[in-house]
Amino acid sequence: MSDWQGRNLREGVDAVTESPLGFLQAELQQLKDQGIYQTLRVLESEQGARAVIDGKEVINLSSNNYLGLTTHPRLKEAALKATEKFGVGSGAVRTIIGTMSLHLELERRLAAFKRTEAVLVFQSGFTANLGVIPAIIGREDAVISDELNHASIIDGCRLSRAKIYVYKHADPASAEEQLQAARAAGARRLLLVTDGVFSMDGDIAPLPELVAVARKYGAITMVDDAHASGVLGEAGRGTVDHFGLHGQVDIQIGTLSKAIGVLGGYVAGSRQLIDWLINRGRPFLFSTSHPPAVAAACIAAIDVLEQEPQLIERLWDNTKYFKQGLNQLGFDTGKSQTPITPVIVGEGALAMELSRRLFAAGVFTQGIVYPTVPPDKSRVRTIVTAAHTREDLDMALAAFERVGKELGII
């Protein structure tokens, strides 16, 4: 750099007295004043039923590791063997030289597992939704979306530039009203999309009724099974299997990072759909593929799901026990039907204080506040897993009782 360039650069910096991002300080202070400012907790152990978080051993009630597969010996062994054979990375996007034999084997196994023609794996469940929705609908189309759908669905809808019609949560009649409105407005294509299990409330979408009303209007149907994969249906096949709707849902999204215990997302559907996404699914096209260890561990997870049904049975036994315990203590668990069990307290500051005091008592359950949930529906969200013991759950319930009484929640 010349002296002239350096002098002008310094003068330019000196002329700026305040960072353009200085406004963020006031915004952050507002969060602190409201009692909803969050910092990152640091996990210092394996992702287990008990974990060391910020240097403290706690009962972990905030993990999506439903079946305890993050530490399953078969998954760890598969990951190690794949690393030894293929290395630590794939080195490219799938459409250049980043498609490895392990990726194709994983997609073949997932398609058989989901009982669909084909599957395409994405880097995450979030990118799966961002890739699929804009690839199948556009400006001339309409998307009919549940008001509590996940942020990734919302963002996918926005990226598509289709007109968005929002229906009342889990309400097929409201969905039909929005389908009628979209059809009357002249939409070329209609897409009805819903979560299978809703991530903040733990309730299950009324999928049979939604599929029926979508078919009535010729709409494409799409279900995001992020929190149903490995949890609902035979061997954890998801909500389509849970309701016996194989062949009636056009697009199924799943994750490999929750009950599966590893990383990634996938789209299951027709061969035509998958071939189209290979050509037009932007996150798929422009992101490096999964490392070999990830793909191999996911394949091993499918084996575990099919061969160790006791894990899902234990998950549901623990869920029933813990949910009943919370309800008997007088906590509001909303409409939960799954291992996702919110404890709804109302104000954001109260939810965060409940989370902090539970952590001090040896239980980690994250506070959830606006904009993730409505301001008056703030909560801590609990998720029990197959790995929790009854001792873990009893200790957690005792902490909830003590802290709940201290804060006047129960």
Side-chain angles (χ1 to χ4, degrees):
M1 180 185 294
S2 70
D3 290 343
W4 178 86
Q5 288 174 313
R7 184 171 62 253
N8 278 273
L9 180 59
R10 288 193 297 273
E11 288 173 355
V13 172
D14 292 342
V16 178
T17 58
E18 183 178 344
S19 166
L21 291 174
F23 71 92
L24 291 177
Q25 186 59 41
E27 298 288 341
L28 289 168
Q29 187 59 50
Q30 186 175 9
L31 296 180
K32 293 176 183 178
D33 293 342
Q34 294 171 349
I36 59 175
Y37 178 77
Q38 298 190 54
T39 57
L40 298 178
R41 297 284 191 183
V42 180
L43 179 65
E44 301 172 24
S45 67
E46 64 183 27
Q47 183 73 260
R50 295 199 183 205
V52 178
I53 300 174
D54 289 348
K56 181 181 178 67
E57 184 177 270
V58 293
I59 297 168
N60 182 5
L61 291 178
S62 283
S63 174
N64 294 322
N65 184 27
Y66 289 102
L67 302 176
L69 297 192
T70 61
T71 57
H72 196 289
R74 294 173 70 174
L75 273 69
K76 292 197 288 186
E77 181 183 5
L80 290 170
K81 286 183 176 179
T83 300
E84 287 291 337
K85 181 176 181 179
F86 294 102
V88 296
S90 65
V93 299
R94 289 281 302 270
T95 52
I96 298 179
I97 193 59
T99 294
M100 306 179 82
S101 56
L102 282 171
H103 298 130
L104 296 180
E105 175 64 9
L106 173 58
E107 289 166 346
R108 185 191 70 77
R109 290 294 308 279
L110 282 170
F113 182 74
K114 295 292 286 186
R115 297 172 180 162
T116 60
E117 287 184 356
V119 158
L120 189 66
V121 170
F122 280 73
Q123 290 70 23
S124 69
F126 204 111
T127 58
N129 280 325
L130 295 190
V132 173
I133 297 173
I136 59 173
I137 57 172
R139 290 181 183 274
E140 300 176 20
D141 306 318
V143 56
I144 292 81
S145 177
D146 189 291
E147 64 180 342
L148 295 187
N149 274 343
H150 190 265
S152 59
I153 295 176
I154 295 170
D155 287 357
C157 293
R158 289 170 176 168
L159 284 171
S160 74
R161 300 183 181 180
K163 186 168 183 181
I164 301 170
Y165 294 78
V166 178
Y167 65 89
K168 295 176 183 177
H169 176 53
D171 186 337
S174 177
E176 181 164 14
E177 291 174 1
Q178 298 305 317
L179 283 162
Q180 288 175 341
R183 183 61 76 202
R188 179 184 57 175
R189 299 189 190 107
L190 303 176
L191 169 67
L192 191 152
V193 57
T194 181
D195 278 351
V197 171
F198 290 88
S199 61
M200 288 298 121
D201 291 285
D203 55 332
I204 303 171
L207 202 56
E209 293 84 357
L210 290 172
V211 167
V213 74
R215 287 289 180 257
K216 182 177 177 181
Y217 292 88
I220 303 163
T221 53
M222 175 174 168
V223 60
D224 183 342
D225 259 350
H227 286 277
S229 301
V231 175
L232 290 179
E234 181 191 2
R237 285 180 168 83
T239 52
V240 170
D241 187 88
H242 174 73
F243 286 112
L245 294 172
H246 290 289
Q248 299 182 55
V249 175
D250 300 300
I251 304 168
Q252 297 181 60
I253 305 295
T255 56
L256 303 167
S257 53
K258 294 181 172 63
I260 303 303
V262 196
L263 177 70
Y266 63 88
V267 183
S270 68
R271 183 73 256 175
Q272 278 184 327
L273 170 68
I274 300 310
D275 287 345
W276 178 247
L277 293 174
I278 289 171
N279 287 273
R280 288 294 183 270
R282 289 176 67 82
F284 174 85
L285 287 167
F286 298 110
S287 297
T288 296
S289 57
H290 282 137
V294 168
C298 289
I299 293 169
I302 299 172
D303 291 334
V304 172
L305 286 175
E306 294 179 330
Q307 297 168 17
E308 300 183 31
Q310 68 272 18
L311 291 176
I312 296 178
E313 293 170 7
R314 194 180 309 146
L315 168 67
W316 281 99
D317 285 344
N318 282 346
T319 295
K320 181 179 179 181
Y321 183 82
F322 191 68
K323 202 185 298 285
Q324 285 180 344
L326 288 173
N327 290 332
Q328 287 170 1
L329 289 172
F331 287 103
D332 179 5
T333 59
K335 299 179 180 179
S336 173
Q337 300 168 276
T338 65
I340 298 172
T341 305
V343 175
I344 302 169
V345 299
E347 295 180 0
L350 181 59
M352 297 309 293
E353 183 63 19
L354 174 60
S355 178
R356 282 189 287 268
R357 293 201 190 188
L358 284 169
F359 187 81
V363 176
F364 177 55
T365 176
Q366 182 61 47
I368 308 292
V369 298
Y370 180 83
T372 306
V373 295
D376 62 341
K377 296 290 185 181
S378 297
R379 66 198 63 188
V380 295
R381 184 185 68 164
T382 71
I383 300 178
V384 299
T385 72
H388 284 106
T389 65
R390 283 298 164 89
E391 181 185 7
D392 293 333
L393 301 181
D394 286 338
M395 290 179 65
L397 288 169
F400 264 99
E401 181 177 19
R402 183 169 67 255
V403 175
K405 288 179 177 177
E406 290 174 358
L407 295 174
I409 298 170
I410 57 173

